[in-house]
Amino acid sequence: YINSPFGQIVLQDCHSGFGGYILYGFCYGNTHIYNLNTKTFKTIDAEHLQDLSSDGSKYLTIDLEQKTINLWETTTNKLLDQIKIANPEHEQFGTATFIGNDQAIAYATALGDPENEQSSIYIYDLASKTTQNFLSVNNQSCQIYSPIVHETKDFTYSCK
């Protein structure tokens, strides 16, 4: 399950880690979207799916090897943007979510060191293609949750 646009149910096969020190879970394989209004299913073949835009026209995936967050068009599966994570020293990243009426993306990164963890939350503006550091902490890892309201840049997060 990920943030779903109103009127839709999203079904996925997701994992939060296989053991070891894994901070960000991921989903892979087919994602099924059921529209409550039209009573129809749509399938997206998206590995490491993170979020759907509020209107369902775009989706986010992560590429663990390239250290990118990828923005895709839902209907054609066309890659629209490939966003390099802001801190390449951070080995783990995820919980990417659309914010600000889908005009920006918030995501979290972590060093991946349980003895000396460092974590950050970044906001990437889609129009200007710029990244802003929202928060950085030591000895904790941060996660991003659903935006409070898709039209604003407000979102919830926790650092533990």
Side-chain angles (χ1 to χ4, degrees):
Y1 173 79
I2 60 169
N3 303 334
S4 63
F6 294 111
Q8 297 186 355
I9 298 172
V10 180
L11 307 169
Q12 293 183 284
D13 181 14
C14 300
H15 302 274
S16 59
F18 307 137
Y21 188 68
I22 298 174
L23 298 173
Y24 304 106
F26 57 88
C27 302
Y28 59 91
N30 289 334
T31 297
H32 306 283
I33 303 169
Y34 181 72
N35 187 307
L36 296 170
N37 299 321
T38 63
K39 297 184 178 21
T40 57
F41 269 103
K42 180 179 191 171
T43 300
I44 301 172
D45 182 18
E47 194 165 310
H48 300 168
L49 183 70
Q50 298 286 293
D51 196 15
L52 284 170
S53 61
S54 58
D55 66 0
S57 67
K58 299 179 192 87
Y59 64 93
L60 299 172
T61 63
I62 58 172
D63 185 323
L64 301 172
E65 291 178 15
Q66 298 294 321
K67 292 189 177 182
T68 59
I69 297 166
N70 300 321
L71 174 66
W72 299 87
E73 200 280 326
T74 303
T75 306
T76 63
N77 286 327
K78 178 182 176 186
L79 181 63
L80 301 174
D81 199 356
Q82 196 168 38
I83 304 149
K84 288 274 189 197
I85 66 165
N87 188 342
E89 293 177 5
H90 284 193
E91 291 296 322
Q92 298 190 33
F93 63 101
T95 63
T97 187
F98 287 101
I99 60 171
N101 208 19
D102 302 333
Q103 299 303 306
I105 298 165
Y107 66 95
T109 67
L111 185 61
D113 180 354
E115 304 300 319
N116 184 30
E117 191 57 83
Q118 299 171 14
S119 188
S120 297
I121 294 176
Y122 295 97
I123 297 175
Y124 178 81
D125 183 275
L126 289 165
S128 66
K129 297 188 182 291
T130 57
T131 302
Q132 171 189 348
N133 186 333
F134 175 77
L135 172 75
S136 290
V137 296
N138 291 321
N139 301 315
Q140 299 179 58
S141 65
C142 298
Q143 300 276 334
I144 297 173
Y145 303 103
S146 303
I148 296 169
V149 179
H150 259 281
E151 288 76 29
T152 70
K153 289 191 177 180
D154 296 334
F155 58 93
T156 57
Y157 65 92
S158 71
C159 299
K160 300 178 190 177

PDB file of all heavy atoms in Angstrom, residues 63-82:
ATOM      1  N   ASP A  63      15.797   3.874  -7.803  1.00  0.00           N
ATOM      2  CA  ASP A  63      16.790   2.988  -8.402  1.00  0.00           C
ATOM      3  C   ASP A  63      17.938   2.910  -7.416  1.00  0.00           C
ATOM      4  O   ASP A  63      18.687   3.873  -7.239  1.00  0.00           O
ATOM      5  CB  ASP A  63      17.252   3.533  -9.749  1.00  0.00           C
ATOM      6  CG  ASP A  63      18.204   2.596 -10.472  1.00  0.00           C
ATOM      7  OD1 ASP A  63      19.037   1.944  -9.802  1.00  0.00           O
ATOM      8  OD2 ASP A  63      18.125   2.511 -11.704  1.00  0.00           O
ATOM      9  N   LEU A  64      18.048   1.770  -6.741  1.00  0.00           N
ATOM     10  CA  LEU A  64      19.038   1.620  -5.678  1.00  0.00           C
ATOM     11  C   LEU A  64      20.470   1.651  -6.192  1.00  0.00           C
ATOM     12  O   LEU A  64      21.365   2.168  -5.522  1.00  0.00           O
ATOM     13  CB  LEU A  64      18.777   0.326  -4.902  1.00  0.00           C
ATOM     14  CG  LEU A  64      17.397   0.234  -4.248  1.00  0.00           C
ATOM     15  CD1 LEU A  64      17.158  -1.161  -3.683  1.00  0.00           C
ATOM     16  CD2 LEU A  64      17.241   1.291  -3.177  1.00  0.00           C
ATOM     17  N   GLU A  65      20.706   1.131  -7.389  1.00  0.00           N
ATOM     18  CA  GLU A  65      22.061   1.115  -7.942  1.00  0.00           C
ATOM     19  C   GLU A  65      22.495   2.491  -8.422  1.00  0.00           C
ATOM     20  O   GLU A  65      23.624   2.910  -8.187  1.00  0.00           O
ATOM     21  CB  GLU A  65      22.158   0.097  -9.070  1.00  0.00           C
ATOM     22  CG  GLU A  65      22.052  -1.335  -8.585  1.00  0.00           C
ATOM     23  CD  GLU A  65      22.112  -2.328  -9.736  1.00  0.00           C
ATOM     24  OE1 GLU A  65      22.519  -1.948 -10.852  1.00  0.00           O
ATOM     25  OE2 GLU A  65      21.746  -3.495  -9.503  1.00  0.00           O
ATOM     26  N   GLN A  66      21.616   3.199  -9.116  1.00  0.00           N
ATOM     27  CA  GLN A  66      21.952   4.524  -9.655  1.00  0.00           C
ATOM     28  C   GLN A  66      21.795   5.631  -8.613  1.00  0.00           C
ATOM     29  O   GLN A  66      22.202   6.764  -8.855  1.00  0.00           O
ATOM     30  CB  GLN A  66      21.068   4.843 -10.860  1.00  0.00           C
ATOM     31  CG  GLN A  66      21.233   3.890 -12.015  1.00  0.00           C
ATOM     32  CD  GLN A  66      22.616   3.978 -12.630  1.00  0.00           C
ATOM     33  OE1 GLN A  66      23.188   5.043 -12.772  1.00  0.00           O
ATOM     34  NE2 GLN A  66      23.170   2.825 -12.967  1.00  0.00           N
ATOM     35  N   LYS A  67      21.171   5.305  -7.466  1.00  0.00           N
ATOM     36  CA  LYS A  67      20.877   6.280  -6.413  1.00  0.00           C
ATOM     37  C   LYS A  67      20.055   7.444  -6.965  1.00  0.00           C
ATOM     38  O   LYS A  67      20.404   8.614  -6.835  1.00  0.00           O
ATOM     39  CB  LYS A  67      22.151   6.787  -5.740  1.00  0.00           C
ATOM     40  CG  LYS A  67      22.866   5.733  -4.928  1.00  0.00           C
ATOM     41  CD  LYS A  67      23.985   6.350  -4.113  1.00  0.00           C
ATOM     42  CE  LYS A  67      24.645   5.301  -3.258  1.00  0.00           C
ATOM     43  NZ  LYS A  67      25.705   5.879  -2.432  1.00  0.00           N
ATOM     44  N   THR A  68      18.942   7.066  -7.611  1.00  0.00           N
ATOM     45  CA  THR A  68      18.050   8.075  -8.184  1.00  0.00           C
ATOM     46  C   THR A  68      16.613   7.808  -7.756  1.00  0.00           C
ATOM     47  O   THR A  68      16.232   6.681  -7.440  1.00  0.00           O
ATOM     48  CB  THR A  68      18.096   8.083  -9.723  1.00  0.00           C
ATOM     49  OG1 THR A  68      17.724   6.798 -10.218  1.00  0.00           O
ATOM     50  CG2 THR A  68      19.467   8.478 -10.242  1.00  0.00           C
ATOM     51  N   ILE A  69      15.843   8.880  -7.766  1.00  0.00           N
ATOM     52  CA  ILE A  69      14.391   8.811  -7.667  1.00  0.00           C
ATOM     53  C   ILE A  69      13.886   9.112  -9.068  1.00  0.00           C
ATOM     54  O   ILE A  69      14.283  10.111  -9.680  1.00  0.00           O
ATOM     55  CB  ILE A  69      13.852   9.823  -6.645  1.00  0.00           C
ATOM     56  CG1 ILE A  69      14.397   9.474  -5.271  1.00  0.00           C
ATOM     57  CG2 ILE A  69      12.331   9.842  -6.652  1.00  0.00           C
ATOM     58  CD1 ILE A  69      14.216  10.549  -4.243  1.00  0.00           C
ATOM     59  N   ASN A  70      13.047   8.242  -9.597  1.00  0.00           N
ATOM     60  CA  ASN A  70      12.597   8.378 -10.978  1.00  0.00           C
ATOM     61  C   ASN A  70      11.125   8.764 -11.023  1.00  0.00           C
ATOM     62  O   ASN A  70      10.305   8.174 -10.329  1.00  0.00           O
ATOM     63  CB  ASN A  70      12.823   7.069 -11.737  1.00  0.00           C
ATOM     64  CG  ASN A  70      14.292   6.693 -11.757  1.00  0.00           C
ATOM     65  OD1 ASN A  70      15.154   7.541 -11.899  1.00  0.00           O
ATOM     66  ND2 ASN A  70      14.576   5.416 -11.607  1.00  0.00           N
ATOM     67  N   LEU A  71      10.820   9.750 -11.856  1.00  0.00           N
ATOM     68  CA  LEU A  71       9.459  10.237 -12.057  1.00  0.00           C
ATOM     69  C   LEU A  71       8.962   9.689 -13.390  1.00  0.00           C
ATOM     70  O   LEU A  71       9.599   9.890 -14.426  1.00  0.00           O
ATOM     71  CB  LEU A  71       9.445  11.767 -12.066  1.00  0.00           C
ATOM     72  CG  LEU A  71       8.130  12.448 -12.414  1.00  0.00           C
ATOM     73  CD1 LEU A  71       7.083  12.171 -11.333  1.00  0.00           C
ATOM     74  CD2 LEU A  71       8.346  13.949 -12.577  1.00  0.00           C
ATOM     75  N   TRP A  72       7.817   8.986 -13.357  1.00  0.00           N
ATOM     76  CA  TRP A  72       7.269   8.321 -14.530  1.00  0.00           C
ATOM     77  C   TRP A  72       5.867   8.833 -14.841  1.00  0.00           C
ATOM     78  O   TRP A  72       5.146   9.231 -13.949  1.00  0.00           O
ATOM     79  CB  TRP A  72       7.157   6.822 -14.278  1.00  0.00           C
ATOM     80  CG  TRP A  72       8.452   6.143 -13.995  1.00  0.00           C
ATOM     81  CD1 TRP A  72       9.056   6.016 -12.771  1.00  0.00           C
ATOM     82  CD2 TRP A  72       9.307   5.488 -14.921  1.00  0.00           C
ATOM     83  NE1 TRP A  72      10.220   5.322 -12.888  1.00  0.00           N
ATOM     84  CE2 TRP A  72      10.405   4.985 -14.198  1.00  0.00           C
ATOM     85  CE3 TRP A  72       9.243   5.269 -16.296  1.00  0.00           C
ATOM     86  CZ2 TRP A  72      11.430   4.275 -14.809  1.00  0.00           C
ATOM     87  CZ3 TRP A  72      10.266   4.570 -16.900  1.00  0.00           C
ATOM     88  CH2 TRP A  72      11.345   4.075 -16.167  1.00  0.00           C
ATOM     89  N   GLU A  73       5.486   8.756 -16.105  1.00  0.00           N
ATOM     90  CA  GLU A  73       4.118   9.026 -16.551  1.00  0.00           C
ATOM     91  C   GLU A  73       3.376   7.698 -16.489  1.00  0.00           C
ATOM     92  O   GLU A  73       3.849   6.685 -17.005  1.00  0.00           O
ATOM     93  CB  GLU A  73       4.145   9.576 -17.985  1.00  0.00           C
ATOM     94  CG  GLU A  73       2.911  10.334 -18.392  1.00  0.00           C
ATOM     95  CD  GLU A  73       1.744   9.442 -18.786  1.00  0.00           C
ATOM     96  OE1 GLU A  73       1.964   8.364 -19.359  1.00  0.00           O
ATOM     97  OE2 GLU A  73       0.612   9.830 -18.499  1.00  0.00           O
ATOM     98  N   THR A  74       2.231   7.676 -15.842  1.00  0.00           N
ATOM     99  CA  THR A  74       1.518   6.430 -15.560  1.00  0.00           C
ATOM    100  C   THR A  74       1.006   5.732 -16.817  1.00  0.00           C
ATOM    101  O   THR A  74       1.173   4.521 -16.968  1.00  0.00           O
ATOM    102  CB  THR A  74       0.335   6.696 -14.606  1.00  0.00           C
ATOM    103  OG1 THR A  74       0.833   7.298 -13.415  1.00  0.00           O
ATOM    104  CG2 THR A  74      -0.370   5.413 -14.233  1.00  0.00           C
ATOM    105  N   THR A  75       0.394   6.443 -17.729  1.00  0.00           N
ATOM    106  CA  THR A  75      -0.239   5.816 -18.887  1.00  0.00           C
ATOM    107  C   THR A  75       0.776   5.183 -19.834  1.00  0.00           C
ATOM    108  O   THR A  75       0.597   4.061 -20.287  1.00  0.00           O
ATOM    109  CB  THR A  75      -1.081   6.851 -19.666  1.00  0.00           C
ATOM    110  OG1 THR A  75      -1.995   7.459 -18.753  1.00  0.00           O
ATOM    111  CG2 THR A  75      -1.858   6.189 -20.786  1.00  0.00           C
ATOM    112  N   THR A  76       1.869   5.893 -20.104  1.00  0.00           N
ATOM    113  CA  THR A  76       2.850   5.418 -21.085  1.00  0.00           C
ATOM    114  C   THR A  76       4.066   4.750 -20.453  1.00  0.00           C
ATOM    115  O   THR A  76       4.893   4.191 -21.165  1.00  0.00           O
ATOM    116  CB  THR A  76       3.355   6.596 -21.940  1.00  0.00           C
ATOM    117  OG1 THR A  76       4.032   7.521 -21.079  1.00  0.00           O
ATOM    118  CG2 THR A  76       2.217   7.278 -22.674  1.00  0.00           C
ATOM    119  N   ASN A  77       4.199   4.854 -19.131  1.00  0.00           N
ATOM    120  CA  ASN A  77       5.405   4.390 -18.428  1.00  0.00           C
ATOM    121  C   ASN A  77       6.665   5.064 -18.955  1.00  0.00           C
ATOM    122  O   ASN A  77       7.743   4.480 -18.981  1.00  0.00           O
ATOM    123  CB  ASN A  77       5.553   2.864 -18.489  1.00  0.00           C
ATOM    124  CG  ASN A  77       4.559   2.186 -17.580  1.00  0.00           C
ATOM    125  OD1 ASN A  77       4.214   2.703 -16.528  1.00  0.00           O
ATOM    126  ND2 ASN A  77       4.099   1.020 -17.984  1.00  0.00           N
ATOM    127  N   LYS A  78       6.532   6.327 -19.374  1.00  0.00           N
ATOM    128  CA  LYS A  78       7.659   7.105 -19.881  1.00  0.00           C
ATOM    129  C   LYS A  78       8.387   7.761 -18.707  1.00  0.00           C
ATOM    130  O   LYS A  78       7.765   8.360 -17.830  1.00  0.00           O
ATOM    131  CB  LYS A  78       7.169   8.179 -20.850  1.00  0.00           C
ATOM    132  CG  LYS A  78       8.268   9.066 -21.381  1.00  0.00           C
ATOM    133  CD  LYS A  78       7.724  10.153 -22.291  1.00  0.00           C
ATOM    134  CE  LYS A  78       8.848  11.072 -22.722  1.00  0.00           C
ATOM    135  NZ  LYS A  78       8.347  12.207 -23.480  1.00  0.00           N
ATOM    136  N   LEU A  79       9.719   7.664 -18.702  1.00  0.00           N
ATOM    137  CA  LEU A  79      10.538   8.309 -17.678  1.00  0.00           C
ATOM    138  C   LEU A  79      10.569   9.809 -17.944  1.00  0.00           C
ATOM    139  O   LEU A  79      11.006  10.260 -19.000  1.00  0.00           O
ATOM    140  CB  LEU A  79      11.958   7.736 -17.695  1.00  0.00           C
ATOM    141  CG  LEU A  79      12.935   8.297 -16.665  1.00  0.00           C
ATOM    142  CD1 LEU A  79      12.469   7.994 -15.242  1.00  0.00           C
ATOM    143  CD2 LEU A  79      14.330   7.720 -16.904  1.00  0.00           C
ATOM    144  N   LEU A  80      10.086  10.612 -16.985  1.00  0.00           N
ATOM    145  CA  LEU A  80      10.016  12.066 -17.139  1.00  0.00           C
ATOM    146  C   LEU A  80      11.202  12.783 -16.498  1.00  0.00           C
ATOM    147  O   LEU A  80      11.618  13.836 -16.964  1.00  0.00           O
ATOM    148  CB  LEU A  80       8.720  12.599 -16.514  1.00  0.00           C
ATOM    149  CG  LEU A  80       7.428  12.045 -17.087  1.00  0.00           C
ATOM    150  CD1 LEU A  80       6.234  12.547 -16.284  1.00  0.00           C
ATOM    151  CD2 LEU A  80       7.300  12.410 -18.559  1.00  0.00           C
ATOM    152  N   ASP A  81      11.723  12.235 -15.405  1.00  0.00           N
ATOM    153  CA  ASP A  81      12.829  12.883 -14.698  1.00  0.00           C
ATOM    154  C   ASP A  81      13.561  11.837 -13.876  1.00  0.00           C
ATOM    155  O   ASP A  81      12.954  10.882 -13.381  1.00  0.00           O
ATOM    156  CB  ASP A  81      12.300  13.987 -13.771  1.00  0.00           C
ATOM    157  CG  ASP A  81      13.360  14.993 -13.350  1.00  0.00           C
ATOM    158  OD1 ASP A  81      14.548  14.813 -13.708  1.00  0.00           O
ATOM    159  OD2 ASP A  81      13.001  15.962 -12.674  1.00  0.00           O
ATOM    160  N   GLN A  82      14.868  12.004 -13.756  1.00  0.00           N
ATOM    161  CA  GLN A  82      15.699  11.124 -12.942  1.00  0.00           C
ATOM    162  C   GLN A  82      16.467  12.015 -11.982  1.00  0.00           C
ATOM    163  O   GLN A  82      17.310  12.802 -12.388  1.00  0.00           O
ATOM    164  CB  GLN A  82      16.642  10.323 -13.836  1.00  0.00           C
ATOM    165  CG  GLN A  82      17.259   9.142 -13.167  1.00  0.00           C
ATOM    166  CD  GLN A  82      17.947   8.231 -14.160  1.00  0.00           C
ATOM    167  OE1 GLN A  82      18.566   8.698 -15.105  1.00  0.00           O
ATOM    168  NE2 GLN A  82      17.848   6.940 -13.941  1.00  0.00           N
TER     169      GLN A  82
END
